[in-house]
Amino acid sequence: MANKLSLKIITPSRNMFEGDVDMVIMRTMSGDVGILHGHQPMVTILDYGVLTIKNDGEERLAAVLGGFAEISADGMSILTDAAEWSNEIDVVRAKEAKERAEARLKNTQANIDIKRAELALKRALVRLDLGANK
Ligand code: ATP
């Protein structure tokens, strides 16, 4: 469609989204980037964050937990290990994940994988941030 961006979001378990939209705002490793139809081709790594899809005056929000985005002449594809629409987020599960990660990070005695716990905490915080406002 003229002046629309063709967007696909793919996770290991589903084709989460496929359609034409006005704009996508994604969280890259260097901050939020807005993409419109006609953007120059690029591949970028995604940080954990909230993805915003704007279309016809409406917004859809999703937690996207890493992966990458590829923009080509055909449109934009996001491939990620995990993503949820705001209304799919299980807030209790995210709170439990946050508490588990915080407990691991506090336990300086144990031989824990700090980076892994930090990443789990970050995923939980993104989900809580979006899930609490759904
Ligand atoms: P947990 O410890 O609760 O599994 P996690 O951050 O390790 O959290 P991920 O590995 O990011 O989980 O995701 C595994 C799968 O579970 C993905 O399909 C993801 O979409 C889903 N998922 C994880 N947490 C939630 C949540 N709070 N609400 C809805 N889906 C979730």
Side-chain angles (χ1 to χ4, degrees):
M1 212 184 284
N3 296 325
K4 294 258 183 181
L5 172 70
S6 163
L7 172 69
K8 278 186 196 163
I9 306 176
I10 299 158
T11 77
S13 57
R14 60 180 171 163
N15 286 336
M16 183 174 175
F17 183 87
E18 185 161 1
D20 293 328
V21 303
D22 291 326
M23 187 182 192
V24 175
I25 302 168
M26 59 183 177
R27 175 70 50 88
T28 72
M29 301 311 273
S30 45
D32 283 345
V33 176
I35 306 293
L36 298 164
H37 168 81
H39 193 284
Q40 66 187 32
M42 73 171 190
V43 175
T44 189
I45 303 214
L46 298 177
D47 198 354
Y48 298 161
V50 174
L51 180 99
T52 305
I53 299 174
K54 296 188 183 219
N55 196 39
D56 295 338
E58 297 197 345
E59 277 191 3
R60 273 188 98 176
L61 303 180
V64 173
L65 295 310
F68 67 91
E70 181 185 26
I71 297 149
S72 69
D74 293 337
M76 173 170 177
S77 298
I78 290 176
L79 287 96
T80 177
D81 278 341
E84 301 103 36
W85 296 115
S86 51
N87 63 351
E88 293 173 338
I89 292 174
D90 179 338
V91 174
V92 172
R93 177 174 169 179
K95 272 189 190 146
E96 287 171 357
K98 174 176 175 281
E99 283 160 15
R100 270 197 312 278
E102 284 172 342
R104 281 191 203 119
L105 290 169
K106 264 190 213 141
N107 185 352
T108 51
Q109 305 299 315
N111 181 19
I112 62 153
D113 185 340
I114 303 262
K115 189 70 197 167
R116 191 172 162 192
E118 283 173 352
L119 291 174
L121 177 59
K122 197 170 161 186
R123 287 196 299 278
L125 291 174
V126 168
R127 287 177 169 128
L128 287 174
D129 182 31
L130 185 56
N133 300 315
K134 67 188 171 190

